[in-house]
Amino acid sequence: MPNTLYDKLWNEHHIKTLDSGESLIYIDRQYLHEVTSPQAFEGLSKKGLLPWRLGANIATPDHNVPTERGDSFTVENISDDISKIQVVELDKNCNKFGIKQFDITSANQGIVHVIGPELGYTLPGMTIVCGDSHTSTHGAFGCLAMGIGTSEVEHVLATQTLKVSKLLNMKVIFEGTPQRGVSSKDIVLFLIGEIGTAGGNGHAIEFSGSYIESISMEARMTICNMAIEAGAKVGLIATDSTTIDYVKEHSPLSVDDLALAQKHWNNLFSDKEAIFDKEIVIDISQIKPQVTWGTSPEMVVDYDAGLPELSMQTEANKKNIELAKNYMGIKEGEKLTDLEFDRVFIGSCTNSRIEDLREAASVIKGRIVSEKITEAIVVPGSGMVKAQAEAEGLDKIFKDAGFIWRDPGCSMCLGMNPDQLKPYERCASTSNRNFEGRQGNLGRTHLMSPVMAAHTAINGVIGDLS
């Protein structure tokens, strides 16, 4: 019987169907960070349990860590008490249970969804979980990857299994060649605008088509990262030569082990006759750079388009649009190009990889950040990305332009560390969510690609792409 990629991964890891109708599946890899792991480790201790398979777990602090650290920084230098406690507890728990951690002083510390692939821990065909919704990022490698809750983190630690219901299959086909300045971030934002943040509810989305086949692993990770913003729990892409080449470059596995594994990886695709519950085809050649205007990723338009007018909306939509405009400080009849920005943030698990920084630097090189911008920061996704960017001179390009070059971490993606917006500040952000208060109390977030964020930093407004 023909199977989708998701079905293949599910069948390979399925252990048993439970009386509740849910299933128990085997988990190959669990990533841990400081926010969702303390209660899980505490649960293990109270029950007198040990991790079932130590080597399957990898940890790093990312959400709470300050991104201005320097070489002599230690956990004790964290000023916020709650943040310090969470990072300290991760250290204690990893040491107590013997779990591999790239701590705050490690050259390989970074955002968990960045370091996993680049250090070779994410491999095709795996089931991967983490107490973070953007675990879907790893689906770019032909993995069944999903975010889980704290109690589930404990369950995976103790049993190396997860209780979960099977999802439906959804296929999104991206065909065509992108316009100049359009990146994978624009493509996935456009999709979310088309289907809404509930469009993928209950589904695993497989991304395919000529566009997907043509792009890098970094770009594929960006798309799978934001599958969760389209309502899906899982986003994934078939394994191909691009995947294999990336894994060979980053994996610590021996040549013989890689050759053996590749025989399996070559089968990680949906069969031609596989049936999907939903299927969408999008011609990406018509897509312009995308920017969100409201308080949900689905509130997105072409960067130069008009915003939704209340008079043109149904009664059901009017209230949400009015609330979003009020929160974002947007007057009726205004366009995105009318808005002036205060801050620019290039980073997050969506757009902090070396390719993202190269694209932004190509726009910024030889230019200066607008006087309208109070602060523009670049936060590499990991120590490895930071080192590579510095070796290529990207840090100098950013700093010469007036950007602040930071240390790795989740940073301004969310208000859990010092990098936060002040009330009513407007931010051009390469992160994944623009909910009210996400980047700081009353902060106003506009999601966009690194290229668009770079242009906004130079101009102080959205619009000029020259």
Side-chain angles (χ1 to χ4, degrees):
M1 181 177 177
N3 284 310
T4 65
L5 173 56
Y6 172 74
D7 288 339
K8 288 181 179 181
L9 295 169
W10 177 272
N11 293 338
E12 287 175 357
H13 293 84
H14 187 268
I15 299 169
K16 65 180 294 185
T17 301
L18 305 173
D19 292 340
S20 64
E22 295 174 297
S23 291
L24 198 66
I25 63 171
Y26 186 79
I27 300 302
D28 295 306
R29 174 78 67 213
Q30 176 163 229
Y31 292 116
L32 302 159
H33 59 77
E34 76 276 21
V35 178
T36 54
S37 66
Q39 299 92 331
F41 282 116
E42 183 181 8
L44 286 188
S45 297
K46 286 182 177 179
K47 297 178 179 71
L49 299 173
L50 295 173
W52 185 262
R53 184 169 151 241
L54 275 178
N57 299 282
I58 301 295
T60 193
D62 55 9
H63 283 59
N64 285 297
V65 298
T67 60
E68 292 182 294
R69 299 198 294 269
D71 295 335
S72 60
F73 191 92
T74 68
V75 174
E76 296 306 316
N77 297 124
I78 298 176
S79 58
D80 182 79
D81 289 338
I82 294 177
S83 295
K84 181 188 293 185
I85 288 170
Q86 290 189 330
V87 176
V88 167
E89 286 303 306
L90 182 64
D91 284 346
K92 288 181 178 178
N93 287 319
C94 288
N95 290 332
K96 175 180 177 179
F97 290 101
I99 288 174
K100 176 76 172 177
Q101 184 200 183
F102 298 97
D103 67 22
I104 201 168
T105 65
S106 170
N108 289 326
Q109 176 271 337
I111 303 173
V112 67
H113 305 310
V114 176
I115 72 165
E118 73 182 10
L119 294 177
Y121 290 109
T122 296
L123 296 172
M126 281 184 162
T127 45
I128 297 177
V129 296
C130 176
D132 184 283
S133 59
H134 292 102
T135 308
S136 56
T137 306
H138 306 270
F141 291 81
C143 295
L144 199 175
M146 56 191 154
I148 57 175
T150 297
S151 61
E152 293 171 310
V153 172
E154 179 186 343
H155 191 276
V156 175
L157 281 168
T159 69
Q160 211 56 45
T161 67
L162 178 68
K163 186 172 68 172
V164 65
S165 297
K166 191 178 182 185
L167 301 168
L168 297 173
N169 283 282
M170 181 174 176
K171 188 174 188 179
V172 174
I173 305 168
F174 292 127
E175 296 287 1
T177 302
Q179 299 181 27
R180 183 181 70 86
V182 172
S183 70
S184 57
K185 180 66 165 290
D186 301 297
I187 303 301
V188 73
L189 280 173
F190 180 86
L191 170 68
I192 295 166
E194 288 291 293
I195 69 174
T197 52
N201 279 3
H203 290 76
I205 299 180
E206 180 177 344
F207 300 100
S208 63
S210 60
Y211 173 72
I212 293 294
E213 293 168 4
S214 72
I215 59 177
S216 67
M217 288 308 299
E218 285 86 352
R220 294 179 187 188
M221 282 187 263
T222 294
I223 287 176
C224 286
N225 175 276
M226 293 196 69
I228 189 73
E229 314 308 340
K233 191 174 181 66
V234 169
L236 67 171
I237 293 171
T239 300
D240 61 10
S241 60
T242 301
T243 323
I244 303 299
D245 289 345
Y246 182 100
V247 171
K248 285 181 176 178
E249 180 183 350
H250 293 269
S251 176
L253 294 175
S254 69
V255 173
D256 289 342
D257 285 342
L258 282 169
L260 184 63
Q262 189 172 340
K263 293 180 181 179
H264 173 62
W265 296 342
N266 288 337
N267 294 312
L268 296 175
F269 58 86
S270 289
D271 297 327
K272 283 188 176 181
E273 303 302 320
I275 297 174
F276 288 82
D277 301 283
K278 284 186 182 180
E279 190 168 311
I280 298 173
V281 180
I282 293 178
D283 177 7
I284 67 148
S285 64
Q286 303 303 309
I287 297 174
K288 292 183 178 182
Q290 302 289 294
V291 179
T292 60
W293 62 267
T295 53
S296 168
E298 69 184 2
M299 293 176 172
V300 62
V301 294
D302 294 349
Y303 77 99
D304 57 354
L307 303 184
E309 296 182 13
L310 289 178
S311 61
M312 303 295 289
Q313 304 302 313
T314 64
E315 289 301 319
N317 289 339
K318 279 184 179 179
K319 186 66 175 178
N320 285 339
I321 290 174
E322 187 174 20
L323 287 171
K325 283 189 172 183
N326 287 340
Y327 180 86
M328 295 297 290
I330 296 173
K331 298 174 184 176
E332 190 69 7
E334 279 190 316
K335 294 183 177 182
L336 285 170
T337 49
D338 296 326
L339 307 177
E340 292 190 356
F341 284 73
D342 304 293
R343 309 275 286 276
V344 175
F345 166 57
I346 298 176
S348 86
C349 63
T350 314
N351 284 126
S352 63
R353 297 174 180 82
I354 190 66
E355 181 177 278
D356 301 310
L357 304 192
R358 288 171 182 156
E359 289 179 352
S362 70
V363 172
I364 290 162
K365 188 174 182 178
R367 304 169 80 178
I368 301 295
V369 170
S370 169
E371 293 180 355
K372 299 174 184 177
I373 301 296
T374 304
E375 181 183 71
I377 65 174
V378 181
V379 186
S382 71
M384 284 183 68
V385 172
K386 185 172 189 280
Q388 186 173 351
E390 290 174 350
E392 296 179 14
L394 302 184
D395 62 319
K396 188 175 188 305
I397 291 174
F398 285 117
K399 288 187 284 189
D400 286 352
F403 275 82
I404 300 171
W405 183 248
R406 294 289 182 86
D407 292 308
C410 290
S411 185
M412 199 181 281
C413 178
L414 76 172
M416 294 183 71
N417 56 73
D419 301 341
Q420 297 183 30
L421 296 181
K422 296 175 183 176
Y424 310 115
E425 283 190 320
R426 191 177 304 282
C427 181
S429 178
T430 67
S431 52
N432 42 51
R433 287 181 175 162
N434 55 337
F435 306 151
E436 294 184 16
R438 169 78 176 180
Q439 291 189 299
N441 181 40
L442 298 178
R444 294 163 172 168
T445 302
H446 295 267
L447 304 179
M448 61 188 74
S449 72
V451 167
M452 283 301 299
H455 280 294
T456 304
I458 298 303
N459 299 315
V461 295
I462 291 171
D464 183 5
L465 301 187
S466 59

